[in-house]
Amino acid sequence: MPPRSTSRSRTPDHALATLLDELRALHGALQQASADPRLDRQALNPAYRASAQNLLAYLALRDGDLHDLQLQLSALGLSSLGRSEAAVLPTVATLINTLERLLGGRPAARPTARAANPLADHARALFGTPASAREVRIMVTLPSEAAEDYSLVRDLLAGHMDCARINCAHDEPASWTRMIEHVRRASAELDQPCKVFMDLPGPKLRTGPIATGVAVRKVKPERDAQGRVRQPARIWLTGRRRPRPAPSPAAASLQVGERWLAGLQAGERIQLRDARQAQRRWTVVEVGDRGCWAEATKTSYLAPGLRLSVARDGRKRHSRIGDFAPQPGALRLAEDDLLILTADQTPGRPASQDSGGRLLTPATLGCTLPQVFADVRSGEPVWFDDGKIGGLIERADQDALQIRITHAPGGAKLKGDKGINFPQSTLRLAALGEQDLAALAFAAEHADGIEMSFVNSADDVRALLAELERLQAEHLGVVLKIETRRGFDNLPALLVAGMQRGGFGVMIARGDLAVEGGFERLAALQEDILCLCEAAHVPVIWATQVLENLAKKGSPSRAEITDAATGVRAECVMLNKGPHILKAVATLDELLVRMQGYNSKKRQLLRKLELASPWAD
């Protein structure tokens, strides 16, 4: 057998030596980055000192493209650095040690000892102790009914809700107080801890009011694919003097005369001519002390003053529909339309045209924070209503923005009080407005943590921490909501600023983040946030539209089940309110317990497969 070529035998060693040199250089750069003297000028909480150093090392690691290095390491069966977030320097040091041994030498230094990952401790400080069978917490946004319905709150805790969230953009302090009292009472009754978080509203950059439409209600039955009535429209009839709300969802709630209402009997037919003069008949199906239910099998258009009649004992008895609010106004916009966004709060108006269809005046609409007009420029994009409608700014001044609509597939309606996003504009908005400060003062006395909306810079975080110090509310946990492009771009600085506190976390608020960063980039953005926060040992809340169809309609889509399962990579998953929220909590609880057997952060765990043998008997 001929001797092996010397040059061929040296080639693998040469490749290993080159790879070793590259890793040593990388390790030196990471060490230098983690020892940045600027870190000493930050008033870090001692529990986060090592975490901040690891974050700096991770940022240095991700400063270049490591694909070639990763492929070489993977070909040798070594760690390819793809799961190094929690302990960057020890991971690289271990690789160096391994390569030195492969080359037949003694390691120049012992690999850096891996300290215990403090992420679990940081999550416990913020969210409390997790359920025994599940490591990822469940947070639920409490609906307004939670202020009056103790049993709902108790059932949420019994279903394994770990954190209750109160949205301070809704309701008022009296309702918040009752919600928190219900949470504390249920927690004590069930001997189950539950943290209360209050979500600060943040700057409300929204559309202004729109001139109201006509006062008409449309009620229609639910039909199947063949047009047959599957479910009649249910109409709630209540007295005009003392109206009572419908006890369950209604197609319309109508106020009528008390004497006429009191005489109704189950099975009677109510006759009317609707707003189109179409003859309609409704059937009274249920009579109670607070009102009556009627059902309609044909579509009806209802307006105040319409006469309702019932034939009884050979006579007709009449009543008229009482007043109700007109339909909320809306602007119908199509692509290439002009929209004038104004600085005043004059109700918006649709575009007007002459008899030939030529534009006379474009549609107008107010803006709740017109001071942003000074910060935007021509050519920058603007989005409305969570990205449903988009446009480009053609002209900007302090009084108005002229916007050309570029995205409104098939035409779209824009209503008042809808969100406005300027993703490429640097808006100079105060981090904490009056409403935020009032909610913060309330939270300091009643809550366990707060969530800061639309945080964009480290200065925003410092302003929040200064206010908490003024309120002597250092006990409050702090969650920074990443929902703007600026907030994402500045995330490393936000993390370092937040490390001044013990209980500190980040929420991936995917609603506005998708609009600001682009829907097509959302998956990459949330992946980067997860990785950066793991490197900083900062717990994450996975939020926005998690199991939304299930919570609102009672049945989940396949895609949202998969999305919720991805939440196992976070420390907490947030559900929003809905009629079927208890079912959503139960489903998420089971899903997270099941998925933690498959995934831990980015690591896939090879659990035993409960499958049949591949060999047939």
Side-chain angles (χ1 to χ4, degrees):
M1 181 175 179
R4 296 175 63 186
S5 166
T6 304
S7 61
R8 288 175 61 88
S9 64
R10 287 178 180 173
T11 300
D13 286 352
H14 177 73
L16 288 178
T18 302
L19 185 58
L20 178 58
D21 289 341
E22 188 174 353
L23 284 171
R24 284 171 174 164
L26 176 62
H27 189 267
L30 301 184
Q31 278 187 315
Q32 183 177 359
S34 67
D36 193 317
R38 288 173 292 186
L39 202 60
D40 296 328
R41 298 196 290 270
Q42 307 295 320
L44 297 178
N45 184 296
Y48 274 103
R49 174 73 188 188
S51 302
Q53 292 174 323
N54 190 69
L55 172 63
L56 295 181
Y58 181 72
L59 290 170
L61 179 71
R62 295 290 301 273
D63 193 43
D65 190 332
L66 298 176
H67 284 178
D68 289 343
L69 176 61
Q70 288 183 289
L71 289 174
Q72 294 178 65
L73 292 170
S74 179
L76 293 170
L78 301 176
S79 167
S80 61
L81 301 173
R83 297 187 295 272
S84 62
E85 288 85 358
V88 178
L89 280 168
T91 300
V92 178
T94 299
L95 284 171
I96 291 172
N97 182 282
T98 302
L99 285 176
E100 288 173 339
R101 290 181 182 277
L102 286 174
L103 286 168
R106 294 186 61 184
R110 297 181 63 183
T112 307
R114 285 176 180 256
N117 187 350
L119 178 56
D121 292 336
H122 294 167
R124 193 173 295 109
L126 181 63
F127 301 123
T129 303
S132 57
R134 169 171 45 79
E135 296 178 5
V136 180
R137 285 78 167 174
I138 295 176
M139 176 182 286
V140 179
T141 301
L142 296 181
S144 298
E145 305 90 85
E148 309 299 334
D149 189 353
Y150 168 70
S151 63
L152 170 62
V153 178
R154 187 189 184 282
D155 289 345
L156 285 170
L157 265 81
H160 302 141
M161 172 181 74
D162 302 290
C163 303
R165 172 178 176 262
I166 296 174
N167 188 345
C168 296
H170 302 290
D171 303 308
E172 69 289 324
S175 295
W176 303 341
T177 300
R178 291 193 295 272
M179 290 180 192
I180 294 173
E181 288 173 349
H182 288 166
V183 172
R184 305 299 190 209
R185 175 183 164 191
S187 178
E189 180 182 339
L190 298 172
D191 192 24
Q192 179 180 324
C194 182
K195 297 275 190 176
V196 175
F197 285 80
M198 304 200 70
D199 190 294
L200 306 183
K204 285 192 172 183
L205 184 54
R206 308 183 78 81
T207 57
I210 299 175
T212 55
V214 295
V216 172
R217 292 283 187 275
K218 178 183 178 181
V219 296
K220 63 177 182 177
E222 182 182 330
R223 298 181 182 273
D224 62 18
Q226 284 75 40
R228 294 171 298 201
V229 174
R230 183 161 50 191
Q231 178 66 46
R234 287 176 59 82
I235 301 157
W236 174 249
L237 303 175
T238 184
R240 193 175 293 126
R241 292 179 185 172
R242 296 183 60 192
R244 302 294 182 89
S248 59
S253 293
L254 306 178
Q255 297 178 16
V256 295
E258 268 79 0
R259 291 179 59 186
W260 183 84
L261 179 67
L264 291 179
Q265 301 174 19
E268 287 187 322
R269 294 293 186 92
I270 299 174
Q271 301 178 22
L272 68 146
R273 285 185 179 272
D274 73 1
R276 302 169 300 166
Q277 294 300 304
Q279 289 190 354
R280 292 291 180 259
R281 289 182 176 84
W282 302 342
T283 302
V284 179
V285 295
E286 187 178 336
V287 176
D289 295 336
R290 298 188 173 190
C292 298
W293 284 105
E295 291 185 345
T297 57
K298 290 186 177 182
T299 300
S300 303
Y301 287 81
L302 310 176
L306 284 180
R307 191 171 73 169
L308 306 178
S309 302
V310 172
R312 188 183 306 125
D313 300 329
R315 294 178 54 194
K316 282 193 174 183
R317 291 165 171 80
H318 310 288
S319 184
R320 293 189 180 274
I321 297 175
D323 290 337
F324 50 75
Q327 295 280 17
L331 301 180
R332 185 78 182 181
L333 297 172
E335 292 173 2
D336 205 40
D337 281 354
L338 272 180
L339 172 65
I340 306 300
L341 199 63
T342 64
D344 60 37
Q345 292 299 299
T346 302
R349 296 282 180 183
S352 63
Q353 299 170 329
D354 63 16
S355 58
R358 290 183 293 271
L359 180 68
L360 295 176
T361 58
T364 62
L365 182 60
C367 173
T368 57
L369 296 175
Q371 60 265 38
V372 302
F373 290 4
D375 299 328
V376 301
R377 301 290 180 267
S378 298
E380 292 178 342
V382 56
W383 291 92
F384 300 94
D385 194 8
D386 285 337
K388 295 182 177 66
I389 299 172
L392 284 177
I393 300 170
E394 291 188 341
R395 190 178 71 245
D397 58 45
Q398 63 181 3
D399 297 320
L401 303 180
Q402 179 175 300
I403 298 166
R404 180 72 62 179
I405 301 301
T406 58
H407 179 85
K413 287 184 178 181
L414 180 57
K415 299 180 180 180
D417 199 34
K418 296 299 181 182
I420 305 175
N421 295 85
F422 296 95
Q424 295 180 15
S425 308
T426 302
L427 306 182
R428 294 171 294 178
L429 291 172
L432 297 170
E434 291 183 9
Q435 193 175 0
D436 300 291
L437 294 173
L440 199 55
F442 179 93
E445 295 187 18
H446 300 90
D448 302 302
I450 58 98
E451 298 167 356
M452 187 180 193
S453 300
F454 298 104
V455 56
N456 287 313
S457 69
D459 286 340
D460 293 344
V461 180
R462 285 188 278 268
L464 173 66
L465 299 185
E467 182 63 17
L468 290 176
E469 184 177 1
R470 188 188 70 80
L471 293 169
Q472 297 182 336
E474 287 83 357
H475 64 282
L476 283 180
V478 170
V479 174
L480 305 180
K481 295 170 64 178
I482 307 303
E483 49 193 333
T484 67
R485 183 61 203 228
R486 281 183 64 205
F488 172 78
D489 290 340
N490 292 328
L491 182 56
L494 300 181
L495 292 172
V496 173
M499 288 178 182
Q500 296 181 30
R501 298 185 60 79
F504 161 59
V506 160
M507 177 187 289
I508 308 178
R510 299 181 295 170
D512 281 283
L513 185 61
V515 178
E516 293 261 337
F519 282 81
E520 68 283 355
R521 293 201 61 218
L522 178 61
L525 293 176
Q526 65 190 25
E527 180 70 21
D528 285 341
I529 294 172
L530 284 168
C531 291
L532 283 166
C533 288
E534 186 179 0
H537 308 145
V538 169
V540 171
I541 301 174
W542 183 264
T544 311
Q545 294 182 317
V546 178
L547 296 180
E548 183 176 45
N549 281 324
L550 177 57
K552 290 186 175 181
K553 301 178 182 179
S555 180
S557 70
R558 293 166 178 81
E560 68 183 17
I561 288 290
T562 305
D563 171 72
T566 307
V568 77
R569 290 183 53 194
E571 283 63 51
C572 182
V573 178
M574 190 187 87
L575 294 173
N576 271 323
K577 55 194 175 184
H580 306 280
I581 186 60
L582 293 174
K583 186 176 180 181
V585 171
T587 300
L588 182 60
D589 180 50
E590 180 182 352
L591 187 62
L592 292 175
V593 170
R594 187 182 304 275
M595 288 307 300
Q596 70 185 12
Y598 288 87
N599 289 89
S600 173
K601 287 296 183 182
K602 287 171 64 178
R603 292 177 293 278
Q604 288 193 331
L605 306 181
L606 302 181
R607 67 188 293 276
K608 180 181 178 181
L609 289 176
E610 302 292 340
L611 299 176
S613 167
W615 313 115
D617 292 333

